[in-house]
Amino acid sequence: MRLPQLGELGQRRLAASRVAVIGAGGLGAPVLSYLAAAGVGSLTVFDPDVVDATNLHRQVLFTAADVGRSKAVAAGEHLRAQNPDLSVTAVVEAVTPTTALEQLNGHDLVLDGTDNFPTRYLVSDACELLDVPLVWGSILAFAGQVSVFWGAGGRGVTYRDVHPVPPRPGEVPSCAEAGVLGMLCGVIGSTMAMEAVKVIAGMGDVLYGRLALYDALSARWDELPIARDPQRPPVTRIEDIAVTCGLPGPTAPGTDEVEPDELPALLAAGTRVLDIRESSELADGMVRGAEHVPMGRLLDPAEADDPELAPQGLDGAVLYCAAGTRSASTQRVLSERGIRVRSLRGGFAAARGSGIELVSVQRSEADRPGQHGSDASS
């Protein structure tokens, strides 16, 4: 209240605002905590996942007692304890192409702290259609990025102007696979919360048309100017790009997991084991007897005409990726299609660490989709 740039008017604007936060993970935790403490009147928290013990180093809104609980529900309870006057709506489901516009409509501001590209494009497109400002943040290892996107009726910059083409499945690792330092989440998440307060209160120089880049190892902020691509057509509908760029996935484990030491017996019994990594990831080899089917191909509905990828051929198969994240996501997507598969806990890294027999893969063979690991050895 004593800050002239904010003052009583700014505080009233915060109290009257309705804000949606997509993801209650590493970025969502500080975002939610600071917005609740700042006096934002209403928060909607979207997160379909549960708290996992491996999340706690970076998702500081939760405690060990929350492990196994819904992130959205647990976050709501902690935020109400922090600010009893706060109205919190916990949504234990993902924002989807069919529900995004309805779910986000009526909010004054949206913050996206997710770690997968389909949701990032989806939320940006929905905000452009609804003409709602979007505070966006991203983290990986020791680096972070923050910006504020706003379509502004075709005049402003959105996520698609900065990243017009989604990456291919497996091209960019998730935090669960590449790692992230917990304190980085605090830096970027707090910056996102600061930008949100600036947008709502109407103060300061908001990060419109600017991309802030943070390097934790050098403690240095850099900035890139960004502009709307005049050749980009405006968004007119919500597009589902989950198949084309894949799902780095939830931070929680798969719903039906196989332990690495169970894999040899399953292979001996004739269970299909699918390596869903990209060809570029096979330099360290494959599990002997596994088949290479990249995630994008596995999730492509058009591939269902292939007898090997038909639902009856996939049922009961075990999937593995680099660290278990993408296989858990793929398992969930296939489950929604009525196909039961299992995910290898810890992925290829766990298989290699447990002494499971591996085979090396030649690049020319690795580029052939659906190749058996035992046939692709050099």
Side-chain angles (χ1 to χ4, degrees):
M1 296 285 283
R2 295 178 180 178
L3 298 170
Q5 296 90 340
L6 183 67
E8 182 179 352
L9 177 60
Q11 198 66 57
R12 287 184 177 181
R13 287 174 174 169
L14 290 174
S17 65
R18 187 180 179 209
V19 177
V21 178
I22 317 297
L27 293 176
V31 162
L32 290 165
S33 296
Y34 278 113
L35 292 184
V40 167
S42 176
L43 285 171
T44 305
V45 186
F46 294 90
D47 201 310
D49 291 339
V50 298
V51 180
D52 187 78
T54 60
N55 301 156
L56 297 180
H57 75 100
R58 64 187 184 278
Q59 298 177 10
V60 294
L61 185 59
F62 308 114
T63 69
D66 294 315
V67 171
R69 300 184 64 207
S70 159
K71 285 183 183 178
V73 172
E77 292 180 4
H78 290 303
L79 295 172
R80 291 186 194 97
Q82 183 181 23
N83 180 0
D85 295 326
L86 174 68
S87 173
V88 184
T89 301
V91 182
V92 190
E93 60 185 51
V95 177
T96 69
T98 57
T99 62
L101 292 177
E102 180 181 354
Q103 289 171 318
L104 299 180
N105 189 34
H107 291 89
D108 303 300
L109 180 69
V110 176
L111 292 95
D112 178 10
T114 59
D115 68 347
N116 68 81
F117 289 96
T119 304
R120 290 172 180 171
Y121 283 93
L122 169 62
V123 172
S124 176
D125 291 349
C127 287
E128 182 172 350
L129 288 170
L130 295 170
D131 200 25
V132 175
L134 169 65
V135 179
W136 171 81
S138 175
I139 51 174
L140 190 67
F142 300 99
Q145 302 180 7
V146 185
S147 190
V148 181
F149 301 123
W150 186 25
R155 303 184 305 276
V157 181
T158 74
Y159 185 76
R160 284 189 179 272
D161 293 302
V162 182
H163 300 286
V165 180
R168 294 174 299 175
E171 188 174 1
V172 180
S174 68
C175 289
E177 293 174 315
V180 64
L181 198 62
M183 291 72 77
L184 178 66
C185 303
V187 175
I188 302 302
S190 298
T191 303
M192 292 172 65
M194 182 72 253
E195 291 302 306
V197 170
K198 287 160 61 178
V199 171
I200 296 169
M203 66 178 188
D205 187 6
V206 177
L207 277 172
Y208 293 131
R210 296 182 291 148
L211 181 64
L213 309 171
Y214 179 68
D215 182 346
L217 291 181
S218 65
R220 179 177 291 112
W221 282 95
D222 293 308
E223 184 179 292
L224 290 176
I226 52 179
R228 186 177 184 88
D229 180 0
Q231 303 302 317
R232 181 180 72 82
V235 173
T236 57
R237 64 181 180 88
I238 299 294
E239 177 188 5
D240 186 354
I241 65 168
V243 170
T244 57
C245 81
L247 296 171
T251 54
T255 56
D256 188 359
E257 290 192 311
V258 170
E259 297 294 337
D261 57 8
E262 299 178 78
L263 202 57
L266 290 171
L267 282 164
T271 300
R272 293 186 72 186
V273 176
L274 305 182
D275 186 325
I276 67 169
R277 297 175 297 165
E278 295 302 297
S279 298
S280 59
E281 299 180 82
L282 302 184
D284 293 331
M286 291 173 55
V287 171
R288 179 175 289 278
E291 306 170 50
H292 178 227
V293 183
M295 183 177 71
R297 181 170 178 243
L298 188 61
L299 292 179
D300 188 349
E303 294 289 345
D305 294 334
D306 185 333
E308 291 190 352
L309 298 183
Q312 61 270 24
L314 291 175
D315 196 59
V318 176
L319 315 180
Y320 73 84
C321 59
T325 305
R326 281 171 286 170
S327 59
S329 294
T330 304
Q331 177 196 53
R332 292 171 189 241
V333 173
L334 293 178
S335 176
E336 293 174 357
R337 301 177 185 175
I339 304 172
R340 177 186 169 272
V341 296
R342 290 169 286 177
S343 173
L344 179 65
R345 182 190 294 271
F348 180 76
R352 181 170 56 181
S354 64
I356 291 176
E357 186 178 3
L358 307 178
V359 292
S360 58
V361 182
Q362 295 178 349
R363 174 57 63 89
S364 60
E365 296 289 347
D367 289 337
R368 299 181 188 177
Q371 192 70 49
H372 286 265
S374 56
D375 297 333
S377 59
S378 59

